[in-house]
Amino acid sequence: MTTLTDLILPRLPRRPYCTDNPSQGLIIRGPDVATTKSHLQLNPAALRHWLLFDIDAPLAALTWERVNLPPPNWIAVNPENSHAHCGYLLEVPIITSPGCHEKPLRYAAAIENAYRLKLRADPGYTGLICKNPLHERWQTWFIHGHAYSLDELAEWVSLAKPSRAIEENAGLGRNVTLFDTLRSWAYRMVLIYKSANATQNLWFRALLHEAEGINSRFPTPLSFPEVRTLTKSVAKWTWRVFTQHAFSEIQRARAQKRWSEADADSVEKAKPWEQLGISRRTYYYRKKAGLLLPDGCTDAISDNSGEPGMKA
C-alpha cells in the first residue's frame, strides 16, 4: 500500500532546503535531516514533481472540494489557524530549465494559475519550501497516491488558450517569463560576446546578471538556485548553438517562412479555385501533386473531375 512517505522521499532534491522557522532563513541538509524539519523543499531546482499551493483561509483543507477541483494528494494544515499547504503529484515531472520542451511547461503554468485562482491561493507563494507533510507539527491529510497527468488536471478548469492563461509574475509563470525574456536577450548578445573573444564563463556571468535583473522585477522573485539553473542552461545552449553561420541559417529560415506565409495569404485572398470552378480542397490537392500549370490552369485534367478519391 502506497504511503505518503513513498510519494515524498524518492522525489526530494539531493540536498533540500529546510527549516523549522522560515523567518530565520533556510538551511541545506541531506534528506535524513531535512525531513525532520517543519518546512521542506519538495521540488528540485529545475524540476516540478508537485504543484503546491498556499491557502490562507479558514477551513483551507476543504477549499478544493468547495470549488470543485480534484482532491490533492495531501494537505498539511496549521492547527493554530487552519491555513494549509496542499500538493498535487504530477505523473510526469515538468522540467523548468530551457532544455525542456516549452509546451508542457506553458501548459503546466496555465493549469497552476487556474488552480491558484480557484483555490484563492497566495500568488506570492514561491513553492520553494512548504509545510512538510511528514512533520508532526501539522495536521496532515493523506488523501490518495494517484499521480495526475496534466490533461487530468486541466479537465477541472477552463483553459481557453494555455499560453495566454499564465500569470507572468506567479508560480511557474515566472519561469516562463524569465526564460522568454532571458533567451531573447541572449539571442541578440551572444555573437557580440563571441566576436569580442569573451570566454564562456564571462558569457555565463553576463547572462546571470541579466537574469537577476529580470527576476528582481517579479513581486516574489524566484530563488537564486532556480535562476542560476535556468541561466546556466540558456548560456550553454546559446554558446554552443549560436555561430555566425547558424545565425544566418536561422534568419534565412525565418525569411522563407514569412515569404511562404505571405504567398499562402495571397492565394487565400485571390481564391483561384473559384476561377477554375473547382473546390478549394481540389485546388490544393492538384497543386501538391504538380497538376497545376503556372497560370493556374490544369494540365490534362478537366474542371469537373471531382474531388480526389471520387469518381468524376
Side-chain angles (χ1 to χ4, degrees):
M1 181 178 178
T2 301
T3 66
L4 183 55
T5 302
D6 295 331
L7 299 186
I8 298 290
L9 293 186
R11 297 173 173 85
L12 283 178
R14 186 174 61 87
R15 288 176 59 80
Y17 284 99
C18 58
T19 185
D20 279 325
N21 189 343
S23 64
Q24 294 181 358
L26 306 179
I27 57 175
I28 298 175
R29 294 292 184 269
D32 289 346
V33 174
T35 52
T36 66
K37 303 297 183 181
S38 63
H39 292 77
L40 176 65
Q41 177 190 5
L42 295 190
N43 287 313
L47 207 61
R48 292 292 184 277
H49 292 288
W50 300 92
L51 293 185
L52 301 170
F53 302 97
D54 177 17
I55 308 171
D56 295 332
L59 300 177
L62 300 176
T63 302
W64 63 271
E65 189 173 25
R66 291 198 301 269
V67 299
N68 193 33
L69 286 177
N73 295 86
W74 56 264
I75 303 169
V77 181
N78 184 342
E80 296 178 2
N81 56 21
S82 297
H83 296 178
H85 285 170
C86 67
Y88 288 85
L89 178 62
L90 298 178
E91 182 180 40
V92 178
I94 301 299
I95 302 173
T96 59
S97 71
C100 71
H101 295 292
E102 290 181 50
K103 287 185 178 179
L105 174 57
R106 296 180 187 277
Y107 191 25
I111 293 169
E112 181 192 58
N113 185 62
Y115 273 58
R116 183 187 302 109
L117 292 174
K118 291 196 74 172
L119 291 168
R120 296 187 179 181
D122 182 4
Y125 173 58
T126 66
L128 176 61
I129 60 170
C130 67
K131 292 179 173 65
N132 179 2
L134 303 177
H135 198 274
E136 62 184 10
R137 177 176 172 182
W138 318 116
Q139 294 177 347
T140 298
W141 299 2
F142 174 44
I143 301 176
H144 62 86
H146 173 70
Y148 289 100
S149 70
L150 291 179
D151 287 341
E152 281 182 284
L153 293 175
E155 288 178 359
W156 296 79
V157 289
S158 176
L159 295 176
K161 289 191 175 181
S163 61
R164 296 180 181 178
I166 299 173
E167 174 58 52
E168 295 183 350
N169 296 324
L172 285 171
R174 292 168 301 173
N175 297 78
V176 174
T177 303
L178 179 58
F179 175 34
D180 286 343
T181 309
L182 185 63
R183 69 173 177 171
S184 177
W185 186 87
Y187 293 166
R188 297 194 307 271
M189 299 299 296
V190 64
L191 291 182
I192 297 176
Y193 275 76
K194 282 192 169 186
S195 64
N197 295 320
T199 64
Q200 187 172 354
N201 184 57
L202 178 61
W203 170 239
F204 167 71
R205 285 189 280 123
L207 208 57
L208 182 59
H209 177 75
E210 182 69 18
E212 289 182 299
I214 298 167
N215 188 49
S216 68
R217 295 194 288 271
F218 295 139
T220 305
L222 291 165
S223 67
F224 180 73
E226 287 184 286
V227 175
R228 182 180 56 198
T229 299
L230 188 146
T231 302
K232 189 175 182 180
S233 297
V234 173
K236 281 186 174 181
W237 189 87
T238 51
W239 192 263
R240 175 173 54 84
V241 172
F242 269 70
T243 63
Q244 189 60 54
H245 174 72
F247 182 73
S248 299
E249 289 297 308
I250 291 171
Q251 293 295 87
R252 184 177 64 82
R254 287 175 176 172
Q256 288 180 338
K257 183 179 179 181
R258 288 195 296 269
W259 294 336
S260 63
E261 289 174 350
D263 289 343
D265 289 342
S266 63
V267 170
E268 288 294 321
K269 291 178 181 178
K271 299 182 179 180
W273 49 86
E274 293 182 355
Q275 299 174 11
L276 297 173
I278 60 177
S279 71
R280 179 178 178 276
R281 179 181 176 217
T282 299
Y283 173 84
Y284 279 107
Y285 168 77
R286 292 179 181 177
K287 183 177 181 180
K288 184 177 181 180
L291 300 177
L292 291 177
L293 296 177
D295 61 0
C297 299
T298 57
D299 183 14
I301 301 273
S302 63
D303 291 345
N304 65 352
S305 58
E307 299 292 328
M310 296 175 63
K311 292 183 180 179

